[in-house]
Amino acid sequence: MLWRYAAILLIAALSGCASTGDWSSDTPTRQDPRAAKAKRVNLQNQSVSDLYAPSSNLWIRIRDGFEMEPMNTPLEIEQVRWLSARPDYVNRSMTRSSRYLFYIVQEVNARNMPTEIALLPFVESAFVTNAKSSAKAMGLWQFMPATGKDFRLTQNVFRDERRDVLQSTDAALDYLQRLYKQFGSWDLALAAYNWGAGNVSKAQKRNLAAGLPTDYLSLKMPNETRNYVPKLMAYRQIVLDPQAYGIVLPELENHPYFVAVDVGADIDVALVIKLSEIPDEEFHSLNPSFNKPVILSNANQQILLPFGHAEIFQENLRKYTKPLSSWSAVQITKTESVDQAAKTLGVDVDTLRDINGIPKGMRIRSGSTVLVPKTSRRPGDISLAMAENGSLNLDKPAPPAPKKCAKGAKCPVAKSTKGATKGNSSANNAASQHKSASTGLAKSAKNGTAQASSSTAKVSTGKGVSKIQ
């Protein structure tokens, strides 16, 4: 029998039905091919609590999977000092990680990768799922828009899978395995993940031409990349021996924190929260990719619910007889103001503007997808085409025509407006390689001395600036 805990993405095809959608386990659903290897558990026949792990401590499992060799360089030592001087910061990051680490470790183990890789989100985002840099890097693994597209992470008006826990983890591990195959070492693969494969290759060619070694420590690279692997190794050291550095690791049990539930019909986010009986913050921490207050069945979406709450959700859903979703979507057929679009669609103008995040003074371009309240005229679930390709494109209205001036009068010169702005458009995506929006540890390594302790780590990298608490 296969190890029962292999890849515990517990995809529950929930049974029961509500008034507007069938959630029966007999109903076929489109499964993402990236989730095809995941273990499936039907909550109708099996309880989550029936599963047991060989160890009760996830940290032990992580330590047992360490394979990378410590560098023992001054940079690594300085990163360890930086972290050990900030136990509150480390504790917050470790506590946040408790929701996601089991799943990430499972995926890393399934690919026979060193478990140090499971610690990489500490460096990238401090395990803040909605972390965003000023250069628009997103999520646990800090994918830039262009790199996210390369790895099939959907970014549209309804969702941004760079923030999706399952999809972004899968894409990041795909990326790292590709880089490892290209460069033959995890140090160089990580450098390429941060700096770009092309830049690492060029640095190696320069060293070869100069008769120098081509390993990580021998290459000339930006300070951010120079400190990138030492940061990861610093977290490795703390996980390996936290007491030596005055750090207390939170207890992490070696079982899934969440269950992944297939969406069989469009359902409001607020209703999922209500039926699963969890706080808003808990839901959004596990499901940060949703941009709208409705989860779409045609988007091949899954809902992550805390361990044990999937059964509560299932039971409450079975008893629920009202409509599951209160939202629909329409495509704008001509460029017009929000007021004009609201009148055409028969919806409240403030609702249209607020639910779609449209700033005042902007017009909606033709072809844009907007969310609107569901009515008898729009009763069904949002279509597959809209779920996969919906975008919201905005522009500024044309300036008013200059007033005619009387003969002999001096007329003011009309200022020309700059080009239109565009929202949720791939045209604005940065085309740069994936680089880290890390937790700012490089700052302490600049002068070889630890900086003053702070509860906030300010991230300043090639991907922009952000702050991680």
Side-chain angles (χ1 to χ4, degrees), residues 118-129:
L119 306 180
L120 193 59
F122 284 117
V123 179
E124 287 287 345
S125 62
F127 274 93
V128 176
T129 52

Side-chain angles (χ1 to χ4, degrees), residues 94-104 127 129 165 252 255-258 281-286 304 306:
M94 293 287 180
T95 300
R96 279 193 296 265
S97 77
S98 64
R99 292 184 174 101
Y100 321 107
L101 257 183
F102 178 88
Y103 175 76
I104 295 173
F127 274 93
T129 52
V165 175
L252 293 187
H255 70 69
Y257 184 91
F258 58 75
E281 185 271 337
E282 179 76 345
F283 176 85
H284 291 294
S285 292
L286 290 173
L304 302 190

Side-chain angles (χ1 to χ4, degrees), residues 162-178:
R162 293 177 298 157
R163 298 194 303 259
D164 185 281
V165 175
L166 307 186
Q167 304 294 4
S168 69
T169 297
D170 191 74
L173 298 185
D174 279 350
Y175 192 13
L176 285 162
Q177 283 187 306
R178 177 199 292 181

